[in-house]
Amino acid sequence: LSTAVSPSTPTSIRIGTRSSKLALTQTLKFQSALHDSGRSKDGYTRILQTEITHIDTTGDQTGPSVMQHQPLALSGVDFIGALDEAVLNGSVDVAVHSLKDIPPACRWNKLNENDSANVTIGAYLGPRATPLDVLITKDDSIDSIQTLPHGARVGSASIRRQAQLKADRSDLNVINIRGNVDARLKALENGDIDALILAMAGVKRLGIIDDVKSVKHDPPYFYNPIPIETML
């Protein structure tokens, strides 16, 4: 990231983000990158000021963990609309979120087919983390999808993950579960599901990799990741 900043005039950039722990963790990484780019030549005086604004999207307003009938891609859940609106109405200067949060039908918001995009991607934050998924269970004897018991309940609201699960193990009971990472892990702990599939990048960014009892890296050929996985 590069920013043209006058050393005599502090500049404040308002950053919009969802309120979840993972979203805030990722936004703090972006904020740190901005601060590094906005330091004076001596490398110590910060001349770029930032502030973070928490914005609840419609996808965040239905409770911390929800069992639903459809995968997220089919249910119309919106995790970025309110962020876009905040940028458009001037409440914030930029918004930070996972690239995969943008619904395919909304990349990007347009008034009609002839209009240019109202918002655009200003930057990507690197380096990119591993795009692979992990299988999480409470049973240490389960070391892969193949060793899950017949009819096991596997939590995921991703239509991509569900398709691969059903193709490989048609006997599994795939549960549409959404919510932040902590809420989904709690559902596993409470016995609502037997296993959970999460993005490894999110687990690592939250710093909870050592707190999760059983994390398995299934072969990459099983979990074909979305092309934009982990990109901010």
Side-chain angles (χ1 to χ4, degrees):
L1 296 174
S2 61
T3 309
V5 181
S6 168
S8 61
T9 305
T11 301
S12 181
I13 297 179
R14 300 163 299 168
I15 307 170
T17 178
R18 293 169 57 199
S19 298
S20 74
K21 188 181 296 185
L22 179 57
L24 183 57
T25 298
Q26 294 173 163
T27 301
L28 289 172
K29 182 180 178 182
F30 172 75
Q31 184 186 47
S32 178
L34 278 182
H35 288 172
D36 288 344
S37 71
R39 294 186 188 279
S40 59
K41 292 182 179 180
D42 61 18
Y44 295 99
T45 306
R46 193 176 75 194
I47 55 178
L48 183 67
Q49 305 297 321
T50 60
E51 57 183 276
I52 292 177
T53 299
H54 294 211
I55 299 170
D56 287 330
T57 67
T58 56
D60 297 312
Q61 294 171 357
T62 53
S65 179
V66 177
M67 303 291 185
Q68 53 189 39
H69 297 295
Q70 290 182 310
L72 287 175
L74 302 178
S75 61
V77 174
D78 184 2
F79 289 109
I80 56 96
L83 295 175
D84 286 353
E85 288 302 319
V87 172
L88 291 171
N89 66 29
S91 299
V92 298
D93 299 302
V94 297
V96 178
H97 58 75
S98 296
L99 187 57
K100 68 178 183 179
D101 283 345
I102 306 171
C106 301
R107 299 175 182 168
W108 289 88
N109 290 340
K110 296 183 179 181
L111 296 177
N112 59 60
E113 292 183 356
N114 297 319
D115 286 331
S116 59
N118 294 327
V119 293
T120 189
I121 298 174
Y124 299 96
L125 184 62
R128 188 179 182 187
T130 173
L132 300 181
D133 294 332
V134 291
L135 173 70
I136 301 176
T137 73
K138 294 193 297 181
D139 186 346
D140 291 332
S141 68
I142 298 173
D143 59 8
S144 70
I145 292 291
Q146 301 304 325
T147 56
L148 283 169
H150 183 87
R153 299 162 300 166
V154 183
S156 174
S158 163
I159 195 169
R160 169 185 59 85
R161 290 169 178 150
Q162 290 187 11
Q164 294 181 85
L165 279 169
K166 292 176 180 178
D168 195 58
R169 287 282 306 273
S170 59
D171 63 290
L172 294 177
N173 183 12
V174 180
I175 306 297
N176 285 297
I177 181 172
R178 54 170 284 255
N180 59 49
V181 172
D182 287 340
R184 283 180 277 176
L185 288 172
K186 186 174 182 180
L188 176 64
E189 188 65 30
N190 291 342
D192 298 327
I193 51 179
D194 302 308
L196 184 63
I197 297 180
L198 294 174
M200 183 52 142
V203 175
K204 283 188 172 182
R205 284 169 180 164
L206 286 172
I208 60 174
I209 188 67
D210 294 330
D211 298 332
V212 177
K213 182 177 180 181
S214 187
V215 176
K216 286 89 176 177
H217 298 258
D218 257 84
Y221 60 77
F222 177 79
Y223 295 112
N224 289 316
I226 185 172
I228 58 177
E229 181 69 80
T230 80
M231 296 182 69
L232 305 178

